[in-house]
Amino acid sequence: MSTLPACPKCHSEYTYEDGTQLVCPECAHEWSADASGETPAAEGDKVIKDSVGNVLQDGDTVTVIKDLKVKGSSLVVKVGTKVKGIRLCDGDHDIDCKIDGIGAMKLKSEFVRKV
Ligand SMILES: [Zn+2]
């Protein structure tokens, strides 16, 4: 037996399920049982967006929107650098890529813009 929520209108405890709806027999109020929370996105379905809100996908080409220092070196990825064939990954830096003259590195999606 699952505990059903009380009626949001009259707070009656005698609510019952009718399909996906909950029904209150006392005031005849009907409401959706799953209205209380959106279904969380499945793991691995994380949407990664660029600096302006475009959804990024594997293989996309992006440009860098600000100078980015390459960790552990004196190299800088200049603003406007085109990055082809990005690969999305998990983590703080969510883009895996290879940049001409620099090599494989990771970028933050907030510092790129989809071309
Ligand atoms: Zn009610």
Side-chain angles (χ1 to χ4, degrees):
M1 284 269 294
S2 63
T3 310
L4 295 173
C7 172
K9 259 192 166 176
C10 71
H11 305 291
S12 163
E13 290 169 22
Y14 304 105
T15 54
Y16 61 90
E17 276 178 299
D18 183 14
T20 59
Q21 298 284 110
L22 289 170
V23 182
C24 172
E26 300 200 17
C27 71
H29 182 55
E30 292 182 24
W31 69 102
S32 175
D34 50 19
S36 56
E38 281 177 41
T39 312
E43 291 259 354
D45 264 5
K46 198 172 113 180
V47 175
I48 295 177
K49 290 179 179 171
D50 71 2
S51 57
V52 292
N54 293 313
V55 175
L56 297 172
Q57 289 176 316
D58 286 354
D60 275 351
T61 299
V62 298
T63 56
V64 175
I65 60 160
K66 64 173 265 188
D67 287 354
L68 298 171
K69 280 188 182 158
V70 181
K71 225 178 173 182
S73 81
S74 58
L75 295 169
V76 174
V77 181
K78 289 279 186 197
V79 59
T81 301
K82 226 179 212 183
V83 184
K84 287 182 192 166
I86 61 166
R87 211 169 58 80
L88 303 178
C89 58
D90 276 334
D92 181 31
H93 290 64
D94 41 20
I95 296 173
D96 242 343
C97 64
K98 213 170 184 184
I99 299 177
D100 291 342
I102 291 178
M105 69 174 286
K106 290 192 167 189
L107 296 172
K108 286 190 179 184
S109 54
E110 64 196 275
F111 297 138
V112 303
R113 184 194 280 229
K114 191 170 167 172
V115 177

XYZ file of all heavy atoms in Angstrom:
855
model
N 0.844 -1.203 0.000
C 0.000 0.000 0.000
C 0.877 1.250 0.000
O 1.794 1.387 0.801
C -0.893 0.014 1.254
C -2.057 -0.946 1.145
S -3.559 -0.246 0.463
C -4.015 0.942 1.729
N 0.625 2.133 -0.895
C 1.368 3.392 -0.901
C 0.529 4.463 -0.229
O -0.695 4.437 -0.268
C 1.693 3.812 -2.335
O 0.502 4.045 -3.044
N 1.208 5.379 0.396
C 0.497 6.459 1.057
C 0.191 7.547 0.037
O 1.088 8.083 -0.590
C 1.345 7.045 2.187
O 1.802 5.974 2.997
C 0.534 8.003 3.034
N -1.071 7.838 -0.113
C -1.448 8.877 -1.065
C -1.448 10.232 -0.374
O -1.750 10.331 0.820
C -2.838 8.578 -1.630
C -2.919 7.303 -2.474
C -4.363 7.017 -2.848
C -2.071 7.403 -3.718
N -1.128 11.264 -1.120
C -1.139 12.604 -0.515
C -2.568 13.053 -0.214
O -3.511 12.630 -0.877
C -0.497 13.489 -1.583
C -0.702 12.752 -2.871
C -0.708 11.293 -2.530
N -2.701 13.877 0.777
C -4.023 14.411 1.114
C -4.487 15.355 0.006
O -3.693 15.882 -0.761
C -3.944 15.152 2.437
N -5.771 15.552 -0.071
C -6.341 16.458 -1.073
C -5.779 17.873 -0.878
O -5.824 18.414 0.233
C -7.859 16.482 -0.942
S -8.629 17.727 -1.982
N -5.248 18.469 -1.936
C -4.688 19.820 -1.788
C -5.772 20.881 -1.567
O -5.476 21.999 -1.158
C -3.940 20.049 -3.105
C -4.564 19.117 -4.079
C -5.063 17.935 -3.297
N -7.022 20.525 -1.856
C -8.098 21.513 -1.709
C -8.733 21.485 -0.334
O -8.845 22.509 0.333
C -9.187 21.264 -2.767
C -9.104 22.205 -3.946
C -10.365 22.079 -4.784
C -10.455 23.251 -5.754
N -11.623 23.091 -6.640
N -9.148 20.292 0.104
C -9.857 20.211 1.382
C -9.087 19.413 2.427
O -9.559 19.239 3.546
C -11.247 19.596 1.179
S -11.178 17.822 0.810
N -7.890 18.926 2.045
C -7.009 18.190 2.959
C -7.613 16.886 3.449
O -7.197 16.347 4.465
C -6.595 19.082 4.141
C -5.959 20.367 3.686
N -4.722 20.413 3.087
C -6.420 21.649 3.683
C -4.450 21.664 2.777
N -5.458 22.437 3.111
N -8.565 16.378 2.722
C -9.113 15.073 3.064
C -8.043 14.008 2.868
O -7.241 14.074 1.945
C -10.312 14.756 2.175
O -10.596 13.372 2.216
N -8.049 13.006 3.747
C -7.084 11.917 3.623
C -7.640 10.765 2.809
O -6.948 9.798 2.530
C -6.681 11.424 5.016
C -5.834 12.422 5.770
C -5.674 12.019 7.230
O -5.847 10.823 7.522
O -5.390 12.908 8.047
N -8.887 10.852 2.406
C -9.512 9.717 1.740
C -9.385 9.787 0.223
O -10.329 9.517 -0.500
C -10.988 9.612 2.177
C -11.127 9.514 3.673
C -11.558 10.594 4.432
C -10.777 8.325 4.315
C -11.648 10.511 5.804
C -10.868 8.236 5.706
C -11.300 9.322 6.450
O -11.387 9.223 7.804
N -8.224 10.181 -0.209
C -8.019 10.293 -1.649
C -7.745 8.917 -2.240
O -7.312 7.999 -1.545
C -6.825 11.210 -1.939
O -5.694 10.732 -1.223
C -7.118 12.633 -1.517
N -8.011 8.771 -3.519
C -7.706 7.493 -4.179
C -7.175 7.755 -5.587
O -7.356 8.834 -6.140
C -8.934 6.571 -4.212
C -10.121 7.119 -4.958
C -10.280 6.884 -6.323
C -11.100 7.860 -4.291
C -11.376 7.377 -7.004
C -12.188 8.368 -4.952
C -12.331 8.115 -6.316
O -13.410 8.619 -6.977
N -6.524 6.734 -6.113
C -5.935 6.860 -7.436
C -6.917 6.434 -8.506
O -7.645 5.457 -8.353
C -4.682 5.981 -7.524
C -3.437 6.640 -6.975
C -2.245 5.701 -7.057
O -2.295 4.626 -6.439
O -1.268 6.059 -7.734
N -6.943 7.167 -9.593
C -7.757 6.797 -10.747
C -6.876 6.968 -11.972
O -6.770 8.059 -12.518
C -8.996 7.687 -10.817
C -9.900 7.266 -11.974
O -9.695 6.161 -12.514
O -10.797 8.051 -12.333
N -6.215 5.882 -12.351
C -5.245 5.998 -13.439
C -4.066 6.830 -12.981
O -3.466 6.540 -11.956
N -3.757 7.874 -13.736
C -2.648 8.749 -13.346
C -3.137 9.901 -12.484
O -2.347 10.716 -12.029
C -1.946 9.334 -14.586
O -2.904 10.072 -15.338
C -1.372 8.235 -15.458
N -4.446 9.976 -12.265
C -5.020 11.073 -11.489
C -5.227 10.657 -10.039
O -5.416 9.477 -9.736
C -6.381 11.471 -12.074
C -6.344 11.986 -13.483
C -5.830 13.400 -13.564
O -4.744 13.620 -14.047
N -6.601 14.352 -13.104
N -5.225 11.628 -9.178
C -5.678 11.401 -7.811
C -7.027 12.087 -7.679
O -7.260 13.151 -8.252
C -4.680 11.995 -6.813
C -3.340 11.248 -6.702
C -2.351 12.045 -5.899
C -3.536 9.869 -6.092
N -7.899 11.436 -6.932
C -9.257 11.956 -6.805
C -9.623 12.066 -5.330
O -9.302 11.193 -4.539
C -10.271 11.013 -7.515
C -11.683 11.584 -7.424
C -9.864 10.789 -8.965
N -10.283 13.172 -4.994
C -10.774 13.348 -3.627
C -12.278 13.102 -3.619
O -13.026 13.758 -4.341
C -10.486 14.767 -3.148
S -11.270 15.127 -1.568
N -12.738 12.126 -2.825
C -14.177 11.818 -2.811
C -14.999 12.858 -2.071
O -16.215 12.901 -2.207
C -14.237 10.459 -2.085
C -13.022 10.459 -1.204
C -11.967 11.277 -1.918
N -14.354 13.687 -1.300
C -15.125 14.633 -0.478
C -15.455 15.924 -1.197
O -16.538 16.477 -1.032
C -14.363 14.917 0.813
C -14.160 13.618 1.588
C -13.867 13.835 3.049
O -14.118 14.929 3.564
O -13.379 12.881 3.686
N -14.487 16.441 -1.989
C -14.788 17.678 -2.715
C -14.720 17.478 -4.223
O -14.844 18.424 -4.993
C -13.820 18.788 -2.293
S -12.133 18.542 -2.876
N -14.481 16.214 -4.647
C -14.452 15.862 -6.065
C -13.294 16.510 -6.818
O -13.296 16.566 -8.044
C -15.780 16.190 -6.752
N -12.310 16.969 -6.108
C -11.131 17.558 -6.751
C -10.295 16.444 -7.371
O -10.100 15.387 -6.784
C -10.313 18.330 -5.714
C -9.105 19.008 -6.285
N -9.190 19.873 -7.338
C -7.790 18.942 -5.938
C -7.962 20.319 -7.624
N -7.099 19.762 -6.800
N -9.794 16.688 -8.599
C -8.915 15.726 -9.257
C -7.615 16.422 -9.609
O -7.617 17.564 -10.049
C -9.560 15.201 -10.551
C -10.777 14.337 -10.304
C -11.341 13.803 -11.620
O -10.586 13.717 -12.600
O -12.539 13.490 -11.644
N -6.518 15.750 -9.421
C -5.232 16.339 -9.793
C -4.260 15.248 -10.224
O -4.478 14.070 -9.966
C -4.678 17.196 -8.661
C -4.230 16.441 -7.435
C -2.943 16.143 -7.104
C -5.045 15.905 -6.393
N -2.916 15.453 -5.924
C -4.189 15.298 -5.459
C -6.424 15.885 -6.165
C -4.655 14.664 -4.319
C -6.894 15.250 -5.018
C -6.025 14.661 -4.107
N -3.217 15.666 -10.855
C -2.255 14.718 -11.391
C -1.298 14.265 -10.294
O -0.751 15.075 -9.558
C -1.477 15.360 -12.533
O -0.478 14.476 -12.974
N -1.104 12.953 -10.199
C -0.295 12.400 -9.119
C 1.173 12.803 -9.249
O 1.874 12.895 -8.250
C -0.401 10.883 -9.117
N 1.653 13.032 -10.456
C 3.080 13.321 -10.610
C 3.342 14.807 -10.852
O 4.367 15.197 -11.381
C 3.716 12.479 -11.716
C 2.911 12.542 -12.994
O 2.105 13.479 -13.127
O 3.089 11.650 -13.838
N 2.408 15.649 -10.476
C 2.586 17.084 -10.689
C 3.596 17.682 -9.716
O 4.080 18.782 -9.910
C 1.264 17.816 -10.546
N 3.908 16.925 -8.669
C 4.756 17.490 -7.612
C 6.220 17.585 -8.010
O 6.974 18.318 -7.401
C 4.622 16.652 -6.350
O 4.934 15.311 -6.650
N 6.631 16.849 -9.002
C 8.033 16.938 -9.380
C 8.258 16.467 -10.800
O 7.676 15.481 -11.244
N 9.077 17.195 -11.522
C 9.386 16.780 -12.882
C 10.287 15.562 -12.843
O 11.102 15.405 -11.954
C 10.098 17.912 -13.624
C 9.123 18.960 -14.107
C 9.855 20.104 -14.769
O 10.814 19.836 -15.507
O 9.485 21.255 -14.526
N 10.137 14.723 -13.819
C 11.003 13.551 -13.910
C 12.431 14.018 -14.161
O 12.687 14.731 -15.120
C 10.546 12.651 -15.080
O 9.153 12.481 -14.993
C 11.234 11.314 -15.026
N 13.341 13.648 -13.302
C 14.720 14.092 -13.521
C 15.290 13.477 -14.789
O 14.958 12.352 -15.141
C 15.457 13.585 -12.279
C 14.599 12.508 -11.711
C 13.188 12.788 -12.127
N 16.133 14.228 -15.471
C 16.727 13.737 -16.709
C 17.579 12.508 -16.420
O 18.244 12.432 -15.398
C 17.579 14.823 -17.337
N 17.524 11.571 -17.318
C 18.295 10.344 -17.135
C 19.790 10.644 -17.182
O 20.225 11.562 -17.863
C 17.930 9.344 -18.220
N 20.546 9.867 -16.459
C 21.999 10.032 -16.466
C 22.513 9.836 -17.888
O 22.055 8.982 -18.611
C 22.643 8.992 -15.547
C 22.353 9.222 -14.087
C 23.539 9.879 -13.366
O 24.583 10.023 -14.010
O 23.378 10.231 -12.198
N 23.468 10.649 -18.247
C 24.020 10.533 -19.595
C 23.242 11.338 -20.611
O 23.644 11.455 -21.750
N 22.133 11.901 -20.177
C 21.334 12.735 -21.058
C 21.608 14.211 -20.795
O 20.825 15.063 -21.157
C 19.852 12.452 -20.854
C 19.333 11.460 -21.877
O 20.165 10.949 -22.651
O 18.124 11.215 -21.906
N 22.701 14.486 -20.163
C 23.019 15.857 -19.793
C 23.133 16.725 -21.048
O 23.805 16.365 -22.002
C 24.337 15.878 -19.025
C 24.542 17.147 -18.248
C 25.771 17.026 -17.367
C 26.824 17.987 -17.859
N 28.049 17.926 -17.061
N 22.468 17.855 -21.014
C 22.535 18.768 -22.142
C 23.638 19.786 -21.865
O 23.654 20.430 -20.828
C 21.188 19.480 -22.345
C 21.312 20.530 -23.444
C 20.105 18.480 -22.679
N 24.561 19.896 -22.799
C 25.644 20.859 -22.658
C 25.410 21.993 -23.645
O 25.209 21.770 -24.833
C 27.009 20.173 -22.892
C 27.235 19.136 -21.791
C 28.128 21.190 -22.926
C 28.497 18.322 -21.923
N 25.406 23.208 -23.117
C 25.113 24.369 -23.960
C 26.308 25.296 -24.027
O 27.092 25.380 -23.081
C 23.915 25.124 -23.390
C 22.626 24.354 -23.539
C 21.473 25.123 -22.932
C 20.171 24.365 -23.099
N 19.098 24.978 -22.349
N 26.411 26.016 -25.132
C 27.506 26.971 -25.269
C 27.154 28.276 -24.559
O 26.149 28.381 -23.859
C 27.862 27.179 -26.749
C 26.775 27.955 -27.497
O 25.781 28.368 -26.865
O 26.927 28.153 -28.704
N 27.995 29.289 -24.767
C 27.842 30.533 -24.017
C 26.537 31.252 -24.298
O 26.095 32.070 -23.492
C 29.008 31.457 -24.350
O 29.056 31.673 -25.748
N 25.932 30.977 -25.448
C 24.686 31.672 -25.766
C 23.476 30.745 -25.720
O 22.377 31.136 -26.085
C 24.767 32.365 -27.151
C 25.764 33.510 -27.114
C 25.116 31.392 -28.256
N 23.677 29.516 -25.265
C 22.542 28.633 -25.057
C 22.263 27.639 -26.166
O 21.276 26.923 -26.110
N 23.146 27.596 -27.186
C 22.979 26.560 -28.202
C 23.368 25.213 -27.609
O 24.357 25.112 -26.889
C 23.894 26.826 -29.409
C 23.505 28.076 -30.168
O 22.336 28.291 -30.461
N 24.487 28.893 -30.482
N 22.605 24.188 -27.953
C 22.930 22.856 -27.468
C 24.080 22.294 -28.295
O 24.046 22.314 -29.518
C 21.699 21.929 -27.555
C 22.075 20.500 -27.170
C 20.591 22.441 -26.658
N 25.110 21.848 -27.609
C 26.290 21.305 -28.288
C 26.174 19.792 -28.424
O 25.607 19.129 -27.577
C 27.550 21.657 -27.499
C 27.859 23.145 -27.379
C 29.008 23.368 -26.420
C 28.170 23.748 -28.736
N 26.765 19.302 -29.521
C 26.777 17.861 -29.750
C 28.169 17.426 -30.181
O 28.953 18.245 -30.684
C 25.777 17.497 -30.858
C 24.340 17.641 -30.429
C 23.377 17.368 -31.554
O 23.581 17.818 -32.666
N 22.334 16.626 -31.263
N 28.438 16.138 -30.023
C 29.699 15.597 -30.513
C 29.881 15.957 -31.979
O 28.945 15.863 -32.766
C 29.698 14.064 -30.379
C 29.876 13.622 -28.939
O 30.118 14.488 -28.079
O 29.774 12.413 -28.681
N 31.090 16.368 -32.343
C 31.383 16.658 -33.743
C 31.129 18.094 -34.143
O 31.438 18.492 -35.267
N 30.554 18.887 -33.265
C 30.293 20.288 -33.568
C 31.596 21.076 -33.716
O 32.637 20.686 -33.188
C 29.466 20.936 -32.461
C 27.973 20.711 -32.641
O 27.579 20.202 -33.712
O 27.215 21.038 -31.723
N 31.501 22.195 -34.430
C 32.610 23.135 -34.506
C 32.232 24.357 -33.677
O 31.131 24.882 -33.788
C 32.869 23.553 -35.965
O 33.202 22.388 -36.713
C 34.031 24.538 -36.049
N 33.177 24.798 -32.850
C 32.908 25.954 -31.994
C 34.059 26.948 -32.124
O 35.140 26.603 -32.598
C 32.747 25.536 -30.511
C 31.572 24.597 -30.329
C 34.023 24.898 -29.979
N 33.813 28.173 -31.711
C 34.911 29.126 -31.572
C 35.023 29.513 -30.102
O 34.032 29.535 -29.370
C 34.691 30.403 -32.411
O 33.451 30.992 -32.052
C 34.713 30.107 -33.891
N 36.254 29.817 -29.730
C 36.526 30.208 -28.356
C 36.174 31.691 -28.217
O 36.521 32.505 -29.075
C 38.011 29.949 -28.030
C 38.373 30.453 -26.646
C 38.318 28.457 -28.149
N 35.468 32.063 -27.155
C 35.001 33.446 -27.025
C 35.875 34.285 -26.105
O 35.611 35.462 -25.904
C 33.532 33.505 -26.546
C 33.378 32.831 -25.184
C 32.614 32.867 -27.575
C 32.105 33.268 -24.467
N 36.868 33.697 -25.500
C 37.812 34.497 -24.714
C 39.155 33.779 -24.665
O 39.229 32.575 -24.870
C 37.285 34.774 -23.308
C 37.109 33.547 -22.440
C 36.749 33.928 -21.019
C 37.978 33.986 -20.136
N 37.684 34.173 -18.715
N 40.223 34.541 -24.438
C 41.541 33.930 -24.326
C 41.555 32.942 -23.167
O 41.138 33.277 -22.061
C 42.611 35.003 -24.084
C 42.878 35.817 -25.335
O 42.316 35.478 -26.398
O 43.658 36.776 -25.261
N 42.031 31.728 -23.460
C 42.065 30.705 -22.420
C 43.493 30.205 -22.248
O 44.126 29.782 -23.206
C 41.159 29.529 -22.811
C 39.675 29.821 -22.988
C 38.973 28.611 -23.575
C 39.033 30.197 -21.671
N 43.969 30.286 -21.053
C 45.303 29.755 -20.777
C 45.241 28.245 -20.735
O 44.302 27.675 -20.197
C 45.804 30.280 -19.423
C 46.339 31.680 -19.524
C 47.001 32.097 -18.213
C 47.488 33.533 -18.318
N 47.662 34.153 -17.002
N 46.247 27.622 -21.333
C 46.317 26.171 -21.284
C 47.037 25.773 -20.007
O 48.173 26.181 -19.773
C 47.061 25.617 -22.514
C 47.102 24.096 -22.458
C 46.371 26.083 -23.786
N 46.342 25.006 -19.198
C 46.876 24.612 -17.897
C 48.249 23.943 -18.049
O 48.451 23.095 -18.899
C 45.899 23.640 -17.232
C 45.641 23.943 -15.786
C 44.625 22.966 -15.240
C 44.459 23.126 -13.748
N 43.511 22.158 -13.207
N 49.181 24.343 -17.250
C 50.482 23.701 -17.233
C 51.380 24.090 -18.386
O 52.376 23.428 -18.643
N 51.049 25.166 -19.085
C 51.924 25.620 -20.158
C 51.756 27.127 -20.311
O 50.922 27.738 -19.658
C 51.575 24.928 -21.476
O 50.470 25.580 -22.066
N 52.577 27.704 -21.184
C 52.454 29.145 -21.408
C 51.584 29.433 -22.623
O 51.471 30.575 -23.052
C 53.848 29.753 -21.590
O 54.490 29.119 -22.669
N 50.992 28.392 -23.167
C 50.174 28.568 -24.363
C 48.834 29.207 -24.017
O 48.310 29.030 -22.921
C 49.916 27.220 -25.029
C 51.158 26.497 -25.596
C 50.796 25.076 -25.977
C 51.693 27.256 -26.803
N 48.322 29.949 -24.966
C 47.006 30.559 -24.799
C 46.162 30.241 -26.028
O 46.617 30.396 -27.151
C 47.122 32.089 -24.634
C 45.737 32.720 -24.615
C 47.875 32.442 -23.367
N 44.977 29.783 -25.792
C 44.018 29.616 -26.884
C 43.361 30.964 -27.089
O 42.654 31.465 -26.221
C 42.963 28.541 -26.551
C 42.002 28.368 -27.713
C 43.631 27.215 -26.220
N 43.640 31.548 -28.243
C 43.162 32.912 -28.491
C 41.668 32.946 -28.767
O 41.102 32.012 -29.339
C 43.899 33.492 -29.703
C 45.354 33.799 -29.422
C 45.472 35.124 -28.710
C 46.938 35.521 -28.542
N 47.074 36.571 -27.533
N 41.072 34.048 -28.371
C 39.665 34.261 -28.687
C 39.483 34.161 -30.206
O 40.310 34.646 -30.968
C 39.191 35.630 -28.141
C 40.004 36.768 -28.726
C 37.713 35.860 -28.427
N 38.424 33.480 -30.625
C 38.166 33.316 -32.044
C 38.739 32.048 -32.632
O 38.478 31.731 -33.790
N 39.519 31.314 -31.837
C 40.083 30.050 -32.315
C 38.965 29.075 -32.648
O 38.043 28.882 -31.857
C 41.003 29.425 -31.243
O 42.042 30.336 -30.936
C 41.599 28.110 -31.734
N 39.064 28.477 -33.852
C 38.054 27.517 -34.260
C 38.443 26.134 -33.772
O 39.599 25.728 -33.922
C 37.954 27.512 -35.787
C 36.534 27.561 -36.280
C 36.480 27.579 -37.786
C 35.282 28.383 -38.226
N 35.112 28.403 -39.678
N 37.503 25.452 -33.202
C 37.757 24.106 -32.698
C 36.782 23.155 -33.377
O 35.576 23.270 -33.208
C 37.573 24.044 -31.169
C 37.935 22.654 -30.655
C 38.417 25.105 -30.475
N 37.364 22.247 -34.176
C 36.508 21.323 -34.927
C 36.375 19.994 -34.206
O 37.291 19.548 -33.534
C 37.116 21.068 -36.311
C 36.975 22.232 -37.258
C 37.567 21.877 -38.609
C 37.709 23.124 -39.463
N 38.557 22.897 -40.633
N 35.225 19.379 -34.406
C 35.038 18.008 -33.920
C 35.145 17.856 -32.420
O 35.863 17.001 -31.926
N 34.419 18.691 -31.702
C 34.462 18.580 -30.241
C 33.801 17.281 -29.784
O 33.000 16.688 -30.515
C 33.749 19.767 -29.551
C 32.264 19.816 -29.933
C 34.446 21.079 -29.889
C 31.449 20.724 -29.049
N 34.180 16.871 -28.598
C 33.561 15.696 -28.009
C 33.118 16.067 -26.604
O 33.909 16.600 -25.829
C 34.552 14.542 -27.946
C 33.923 13.167 -28.066
C 34.998 12.111 -28.276
N 35.958 12.122 -27.176
C 35.742 11.544 -25.984
N 34.595 10.933 -25.740
N 36.650 11.575 -25.051
N 31.863 15.824 -26.326
C 31.346 16.204 -25.011
C 31.739 15.172 -23.976
O 31.792 13.982 -24.253
C 29.819 16.328 -25.074
C 29.307 17.314 -26.120
C 27.798 17.332 -26.132
C 29.846 18.702 -25.854
N 32.028 15.647 -22.788
C 32.385 14.720 -21.717
C 31.850 15.275 -20.400
O 31.318 16.375 -20.347
C 33.896 14.534 -21.660
S 34.798 16.066 -21.403
N 32.026 14.500 -19.372
C 31.559 14.913 -18.051
C 32.627 15.723 -17.345
O 33.795 15.644 -17.663
C 31.225 13.678 -17.210
C 29.819 13.190 -17.506
O 28.986 14.019 -17.923
O 29.561 12.000 -17.333
N 32.191 16.497 -16.409
C 33.160 17.185 -15.578
C 33.071 18.683 -15.668
O 32.246 19.247 -16.394
N 33.944 19.308 -14.940
C 34.016 20.758 -14.877
C 34.280 21.333 -16.267
O 33.646 22.286 -16.713
C 35.147 21.111 -13.902
C 35.298 22.600 -13.744
O 34.282 23.296 -13.850
O 36.422 23.050 -13.499
N 35.251 20.749 -16.959
C 35.503 21.077 -18.361
C 34.764 20.033 -19.174
O 35.138 18.864 -19.161
C 36.995 21.041 -18.665
C 37.751 22.171 -18.028
N 37.852 22.311 -16.674
C 38.424 23.218 -18.577
C 38.558 23.395 -16.407
N 38.919 23.975 -17.529
N 33.704 20.441 -19.870
C 32.834 19.442 -20.471
C 33.026 19.235 -21.975
O 32.219 18.592 -22.621
C 31.371 19.732 -20.136
C 31.037 21.212 -20.223
O 31.787 21.943 -20.886
O 30.043 21.628 -19.630
N 34.073 19.807 -22.516
C 34.350 19.596 -23.934
C 35.775 19.066 -24.107
O 36.729 19.666 -23.621
C 34.189 20.897 -24.743
C 32.724 21.360 -24.698
C 34.646 20.702 -26.191
C 32.523 22.714 -25.329
N 35.887 17.952 -24.800
C 37.177 17.371 -25.182
C 37.455 17.792 -26.612
O 36.568 17.687 -27.453
C 37.046 15.847 -25.147
C 37.962 15.217 -24.132
O 38.904 15.892 -23.694
O 37.742 14.037 -23.801
N 38.654 18.271 -26.900
C 38.907 18.680 -28.267
C 40.395 18.671 -28.564
O 41.228 18.435 -27.690
C 38.342 20.074 -28.517
S 39.158 21.315 -27.507
N 40.690 18.928 -29.814
C 42.074 19.009 -30.248
C 42.215 20.335 -30.975
O 41.442 20.648 -31.873
C 42.379 17.846 -31.206
C 43.800 17.372 -31.092
C 43.966 16.073 -31.864
C 45.379 15.548 -31.673
N 45.630 14.340 -32.464
N 43.179 21.135 -30.555
C 43.344 22.449 -31.150
C 44.672 22.498 -31.896
O 45.709 22.084 -31.361
C 43.292 23.552 -30.062
C 41.921 23.516 -29.370
C 43.545 24.925 -30.688
C 41.766 24.497 -28.237
N 44.614 22.990 -33.148
C 45.825 23.103 -33.952
C 46.892 23.884 -33.198
O 46.633 24.974 -32.697
C 45.518 23.810 -35.277
C 44.648 22.937 -36.178
O 44.585 21.716 -35.928
O 44.036 23.475 -37.105
N 48.104 23.330 -33.150
C 49.206 24.021 -32.512
C 49.266 23.834 -31.018
O 50.221 24.253 -30.370
N 48.257 23.224 -30.457
C 48.232 23.036 -29.006
C 48.069 21.562 -28.651
O 48.791 21.040 -27.815
C 47.117 23.893 -28.357
C 47.518 25.371 -28.468
C 46.907 23.489 -26.902
C 46.513 26.337 -27.929
N 47.144 20.935 -29.334
C 46.921 19.524 -29.059
C 45.626 19.280 -28.322
O 44.759 20.152 -28.278
N 45.543 18.103 -27.754
C 44.313 17.724 -27.062
C 44.170 18.525 -25.783
O 45.129 18.698 -25.041
C 44.325 16.241 -26.757
N 43.003 19.055 -25.580
C 42.744 19.747 -24.318
C 41.256 19.760 -24.026
O 40.446 19.295 -24.817
C 43.295 21.171 -24.342
C 42.579 22.120 -25.277
S 43.188 23.809 -25.100
C 42.461 24.305 -23.534
N 40.938 20.293 -22.860
C 39.530 20.361 -22.474
C 39.110 21.814 -22.345
O 39.886 22.663 -21.909
C 39.310 19.615 -21.158
C 39.461 18.118 -21.323
C 38.962 17.380 -20.112
C 38.828 15.899 -20.432
N 38.149 15.169 -19.346
N 37.889 22.061 -22.731
C 37.344 23.413 -22.655
C 36.082 23.408 -21.812
O 35.441 22.377 -21.639
C 36.980 23.912 -24.054
C 38.101 24.099 -25.060
C 37.503 24.410 -26.422
C 39.016 25.223 -24.629
N 35.735 24.578 -21.352
C 34.439 24.739 -20.695
C 33.444 25.231 -21.735
O 33.734 26.173 -22.481
C 34.537 25.753 -19.563
C 35.250 25.221 -18.343
C 35.098 26.198 -17.195
C 35.792 25.675 -15.962
N 35.586 26.545 -14.807
N 32.273 24.643 -21.723
C 31.270 25.008 -22.719
C 30.866 26.477 -22.614
O 30.458 27.091 -23.593
C 30.040 24.106 -22.576
O 29.553 24.154 -21.249
N 31.021 27.051 -21.426
C 30.613 28.454 -21.263
C 31.560 29.423 -21.970
O 31.247 30.603 -22.100
C 30.546 28.786 -19.767
C 31.883 28.693 -19.074
C 31.758 28.642 -17.548
O 31.669 29.693 -16.918
O 31.744 27.535 -16.996
N 32.716 28.923 -22.419
C 33.681 29.791 -23.095
C 33.745 29.543 -24.598
O 34.694 29.952 -25.256
C 35.072 29.620 -22.490
C 35.144 30.027 -21.035
C 35.851 29.282 -20.121
C 34.500 31.165 -20.600
C 35.907 29.652 -18.791
C 34.542 31.549 -19.267
C 35.256 30.785 -18.353
N 32.762 28.849 -25.136
C 32.748 28.615 -26.579
C 31.389 29.002 -27.147
O 30.415 29.183 -26.421
C 33.035 27.135 -26.926
C 34.367 26.681 -26.362
C 31.918 26.228 -26.477
N 31.404 29.132 -28.468
C 30.162 29.401 -29.144
C 30.101 28.526 -30.392
O 31.062 28.424 -31.145
C 30.089 30.865 -29.564
C 28.755 31.216 -30.206
C 28.852 32.535 -30.894
N 28.732 33.630 -29.934
C 27.915 34.666 -30.117
N 27.187 34.740 -31.205
N 27.862 35.613 -29.231
N 28.961 27.902 -30.570
C 28.769 27.014 -31.706
C 28.842 27.810 -33.014
O 28.304 28.913 -33.106
C 27.415 26.340 -31.596
C 27.189 25.208 -32.552
C 25.908 24.485 -32.149
C 25.435 23.536 -33.229
N 24.318 22.709 -32.759
N 29.517 27.240 -34.028
C 29.645 27.911 -35.322
C 28.454 27.517 -36.190
O 28.195 26.330 -36.354
C 30.960 27.514 -36.007
C 31.044 28.170 -37.374
C 32.138 27.925 -35.151
Zn -10.851 17.332 -1.392
